[in-house]
Amino acid sequence: MSNIVAFVEGYICLGGKLHKRSLYVDVKKGCIVDGREVKAYEICNLHGQIIAPAFLELQTNGCAGFHFTNFETPESYQTQLNAVSRYLVSTGVGSFWATIPTVSPKVFKKVLPLLKPQAFVNGAELLGAHCEGPWLSPAKKGAHDAALMQVPDSTDVNDIYGAENLRSCIKMVTVAPELAGSSKLISSLRQNLRMVVSIGHSQADYDTGIKALEAGASTLTHVFNAMEPLHHRSPGLAGLISSPPKPYYSIIADGIHVHPAVVSIAFRTNPERCILITDSVEMAGKPDGVYPGHAQIPHMQRKVGNKVTIEGTDTLIGSCVGLDECVRNLVSYSGCSLAEAIRCVTENIANLMGLYDRGVLAPGRRADLVMLDAQGHVKDVWIKGRKVT
């Protein structure tokens, strides 16, 4: 019996285009191999389906009933991470970063050690944490707790997160660039710790955003949300998406956080820098209703479809959309091809985060795969050369 499986009679998603060719996977090693070097293999007929890299989820606060700030015991936290992992893989996700919003240093230090990169049985792999706070603007707090926000000039990053967590699990930090000391913080995170730094939850103007990019920031967090609106004489941070530095930028394509026409504009501005995120919260995958708060939001939360708000207000908390639905939405909103939309949840994220072992269908990369029909619905998911759905 051969260790090589050849996926044939389908379309390979690569570089924002579909290619009618076969894909060869070494299921023992869990990686993609060069078909020209293969002598014996088994056949897996795709029957016209699309095969793409398993999706990468850059920003999720939780799902399947669990919010990443909700710590009880290490054992229960691990059980909940397993449930999250299995839910995410059902939406085509092969790897994810857990987002921790603005919480107290005590909570950061309690949960971050549990978010080190790790694999799960039959689920998506955790690649570390994205800390969305606490250096954000209270004026653009969204659903964050403004009382817990900090100013870089008056805080030490080690005191906020813990020195070991900075080395072992935090891969990305979102900062508001107008805060005193932010440029120094951005530079330190990037140069000394090799983290990806994003800018968001901010009142900053365009010029301040440019300075943040020059300091080492490389992306924008959920563009258009929790920042100054794009204006023809004052473009704000949103105007950076077409600037010469060419930053990456994430966008929530749920049809709630950003109007579909604006999602289309954002994508068309730079398809190779556009990133789709869910910004999902723990109600994703759960029935509609009213749910309790947690360490980030000490209020009841109401879920109606993919929309979640603080009970009794119009304040958006996050989304309950799946990443596969975001892909289909982008196709619908912008008229782009399915392959172009898939690039926004695979190759673009891999390039931003410096991942060279996954996210692209190329020899030597991990065989984390998702099979889709022509409309972008998930049919099968493989992790490291093994079918998990």
Side-chain angles (χ1 to χ4, degrees):
M1 184 175 181
S2 174
N3 292 329
I4 308 299
V5 173
F7 295 90
V8 303
E9 298 300 323
Y11 296 89
I12 306 305
C13 187
L14 182 64
K17 297 180 180 179
L18 295 182
H19 305 267
K20 182 72 171 178
R21 68 173 73 155
S22 300
L23 184 76
Y24 297 83
V25 169
D26 187 323
V27 295
K28 186 175 182 180
K29 295 180 179 179
C31 66
I32 299 168
V33 296
D34 190 335
R36 295 171 297 182
E37 301 174 1
V38 171
K39 295 181 179 178
Y41 51 84
E42 295 184 13
I43 295 291
C44 180
N45 195 318
L46 294 172
H47 298 290
Q49 288 185 352
I50 296 163
I51 187 167
F55 302 159
L56 303 172
E57 172 64 283
L58 186 62
Q59 184 159 347
T60 169
N61 305 277
C63 54
F66 181 60
H67 194 281
F68 296 128
T69 64
N70 191 11
F71 176 89
E72 294 178 354
T73 67
E75 294 76 19
S76 65
Y77 199 94
Q78 194 66 31
T79 297
Q80 296 284 10
L81 281 180
N82 271 282
V84 165
S85 174
R86 289 192 298 272
Y87 171 79
L88 287 174
V89 85
S90 73
T91 66
V93 172
S95 303
F96 68 103
W97 291 264
T99 297
I100 302 298
T102 302
V103 290
S104 69
K106 180 180 179 180
V107 174
F108 273 125
K109 292 174 183 177
K110 190 174 289 186
V111 301
L112 284 172
L114 302 173
L115 296 173
K116 294 177 181 178
Q118 57 192 284
F120 303 91
V121 176
N122 295 332
E125 184 170 332
L126 173 62
L127 298 182
H130 165 203
C131 291
E132 191 184 17
W135 299 288
L136 308 178
S137 168
K140 293 293 181 181
K141 64 185 180 66
H144 291 239
D145 187 344
L148 297 175
M149 291 179 178
Q150 306 282 352
V151 177
D153 247 2
S154 59
T155 52
D156 184 283
V157 67
N158 293 290
D159 294 338
I160 298 295
Y161 297 142
E164 176 57 28
N165 295 324
L166 286 164
R167 293 189 294 268
S168 63
C169 64
I170 302 173
K171 307 301 179 183
M172 180 175 172
V173 176
T174 294
V175 176
E178 72 273 25
L179 301 180
S182 63
S183 291
K184 183 179 179 181
L185 174 63
I186 291 169
S187 180
S188 176
L189 291 172
R190 183 59 189 158
Q191 298 301 322
N192 299 333
L193 296 167
R194 308 310 302 167
M195 285 185 194
V196 171
V197 181
S198 187
I199 52 179
H201 281 275
S202 168
Q203 283 188 300
D205 59 19
Y206 178 87
D207 291 337
T208 302
I210 288 290
K211 291 177 182 177
L213 297 178
E214 292 171 346
S218 55
T219 186
L220 281 72
T221 294
H222 46 56
V223 68
F224 297 111
N225 292 121
M227 60 180 60
E228 292 297 299
L230 179 67
H231 186 277
H232 62 285
R233 285 192 293 271
S234 180
L237 294 185
L240 295 172
I241 67 175
S242 63
S243 66
K246 295 184 177 179
Y248 289 88
Y249 49 94
S250 64
I251 192 162
I252 308 169
D254 62 356
I256 299 167
H257 281 77
V258 184
H259 191 280
V262 179
V263 173
S264 178
I265 290 170
F267 167 75
R268 292 295 180 188
T269 297
N270 198 335
E272 294 183 0
R273 292 291 189 271
C274 182
I275 287 171
L276 300 181
I277 58 170
T278 64
D279 199 20
S280 69
V281 292
E282 71 273 24
M283 284 77 81
K286 305 294 287 185
D288 288 356
V290 178
Y291 291 82
H294 41 74
Q296 178 199 359
I297 301 169
H299 307 285
M300 299 302 288
Q301 307 171 91
R302 178 172 292 277
K303 175 185 184 293
V304 179
N306 285 334
K307 183 177 182 179
V308 182
T309 56
I310 294 175
E311 174 72 349
T313 77
D314 294 323
T315 301
L316 291 172
I317 295 173
S319 183
C320 289
V321 70
L323 202 54
D324 56 334
E325 187 177 351
C326 288
V327 168
R328 295 192 297 272
N329 284 347
L330 182 58
V331 173
S332 174
Y333 299 165
S334 71
C336 73
S337 69
L338 182 58
E340 288 177 301
I342 288 170
R343 181 169 57 185
C344 296
V345 295
T346 55
E347 295 177 41
N348 291 356
I349 301 174
N351 291 337
L352 166 66
M353 299 301 291
L355 296 181
Y356 303 105
D357 66 336
R358 69 194 78 195
V360 180
L361 299 183
R365 301 248 183 170
R366 280 174 51 128
D368 291 356
L369 313 170
V370 59
M371 285 68 170
L372 308 149
D373 64 19
Q375 289 72 45
H377 295 97
V378 174
K379 297 302 179 182
D380 293 306
V381 178
W382 293 54
I383 302 294
K384 289 196 75 173
R386 189 172 68 86
K387 186 178 177 181
V388 297
T389 61

